Amino acid sequence: MPGQSAITTFTRTIMVSSGVFSPGHLGELTQYLPFELVDDVLDRTRTVQRRLRRLPSRVGVYFVLAMCLFPGAGYLRVWDKLVCGIRALGPWTPSEKALREVRRRLGPAPFKKLFEVVAGPLAQPSTPGVCYRHWRTVAFDGCSSFQAPDTPGNLGVLGKTRRHRGGLEGYPHVRLMALCETGTRGLLGAVFGPTSEGEPDYARRLLSRLDDSMLLLADRGFSGDEFLNEVADTGAQLLVRATLRRRPAVIAVLPDGSYLTRLRGRTFRVIEADVTAVCTDGTRIGDRYRLITTLLDHRSDPADRLIALYHERWEVEVSFLALKDTLFAGHVLRSADHSGLEQELWALLTLYQILCRSMVDAVESRPGTDPDRASFTVARHAAAEQLMSAQGILGPADDIGEIGRSVLAALHPTRRPRTSARKVKCPMSQYNGSPSENRPRTSQRIATVGVTVLSHPANPEESAARDREPGFRELTLRLLRTESDRAWRTVEISRALGITVTSRYRSLCTQINRWAEEAMLIRESRGKYRLAPEWLGSVN
């Protein structure tokens, strides 16, 4: 009837822990970090409270994780979000000092252990985009964009990064190194610390996470001979980009133009190719790639297919984007001391991983859907809403839940080829300079991509035509192959190569000694060397 209004009353049931444990939850995400798991981790790390307090250790764990879900909110605002769905239970409101104290009591150990529990592959091998042939594709990379408060405690451990143009950065920076599953952008492992330590050194700490079911993709920072052999020793396959300055010596050229080489006694395959992309606005973008791989068979692993596969490495960059921009919203870390920073970062990584797991669970409920269509932003907002309403804490494990339904309702379209402008927007960045010379000013869709695999030049004239000046190793190999049964003196090699400058001769002698240690040459007597049998391959 006109003028009348109807009133409807909604009731809902919330299942939470009882008493002082009731604020300890993450909404629907609690199913991925259940109470039993948190209690077990606290027990293993000896961080269970000695007497039952108003802020038990379990509640402190969930509070720190919620703190990472709401990085822009203060302690009391984060607490309000934890309890706003259970106000009827009358939970008490602690002081900021009490919340700081529970963080101090816990320390970083339980959060590191939690991350180690949840870290690992997320998808089934049959999920689209997860595997190449029967290998799960993973990628290494580092990120130095996390900023810590400028306090004496942080400066003593992290220091400050010196800018490219002089001076120091305003904040201490943390370097995060992650091993990422490229198909789902989930993390298999992570380490972090000061930026003074190089990325390969951090990556070595994650090699134990690799096994023979994986294919590692990595950029030029991980192409050192020693590191490549360490990766291969794990049993994992690898596909790593090398700098164009490297000139690997050739054992044999394969029919597809790639060639075999040996690095520290192990055989690798090298692929060189020109990749050209034409954008919809007509802009042409091109680059030359040199890839090193343990996939030696050109029939089962064609060069052009591996060139296309290498670009899956960029998925780890999307992981960092989700971590530092979508989840952490570019904020400076909260903690004023190193122990607090470790706790905060392990909690952030744990929260990121269980969000990725919820996305993969949703996608796999719809067979044939690629996980890269799932939106991390949608999952994060849905998780925050479920936390504030205290829904799904003890829901059924076989249900994708509200987070999963939100993800499936907002799937991205199938990914289209595109290129990024790759502009540095921070004026204080050490990388801030002129934009890339051959890239468009704005991101563009790519109309066509052309891959031209380059055959290895078999003689110096062809090398010069390709702007590929052969190095001492390659020139020495070509020389020694002309008389493979002969033992050559160092001085004979230098004369044949036309080396007359004393400094270049000394450099050649040093390299010959190293090649003998690497079993490329056999030392027959002092100053006399013969080519090892495995290096007698044809270059035709």
Side-chain angles (χ1 to χ4, degrees), residues 17-136:
S17 295
S18 61
V20 293
F21 292 96
S22 60
H25 69 90
L26 279 179
E28 197 173 284
L29 290 180
T30 312
Q31 297 178 40
Y32 297 98
L33 292 177
F35 304 141
E36 298 82 3
L37 171 60
V38 174
D39 288 343
D40 181 64
V41 165
L42 289 170
D43 183 59
R44 288 173 178 270
T45 56
R46 299 182 179 181
T47 48
V48 181
Q49 67 279 347
R50 295 184 179 180
R51 58 183 176 84
L52 189 58
R53 306 165 181 258
R54 282 187 165 186
L55 272 177
S57 295
R58 183 208 295 176
V59 175
V61 169
Y62 287 113
F63 168 76
V64 175
L65 291 166
M67 191 179 71
C68 295
L69 190 59
F70 303 101
Y75 283 4
L76 294 181
R77 288 291 298 145
V78 174
W79 182 265
D80 286 343
K81 294 177 185 297
L82 274 177
V83 301
C84 67
I86 56 172
R87 292 290 185 191
L89 299 178
W92 77 296
T93 300
S95 65
E96 287 192 14
K97 180 180 178 182
L99 294 171
R100 285 196 300 270
E101 179 62 21
V102 75
R103 284 195 63 192
R104 188 195 64 77
R105 286 203 328 260
L106 290 170
F111 298 93
K112 182 179 181 181
K113 181 65 69 175
L114 274 178
F115 176 71
E116 291 172 350
V117 170
V118 300
L122 299 181
Q124 298 297 320
S126 58
T127 302
V130 170
C131 290
Y132 167 75
R133 293 177 60 194
H134 58 275
W135 294 292
R136 189 182 297 268

Side-chain angles (χ1 to χ4, degrees), residues 276-286 419 444-450:
T276 304
V278 180
C279 300
T280 53
D281 66 350
T283 304
R284 297 179 68 87
I285 303 170
T419 182
Q444 297 285 340
R445 288 186 59 186
I446 294 176
T448 60
V449 177

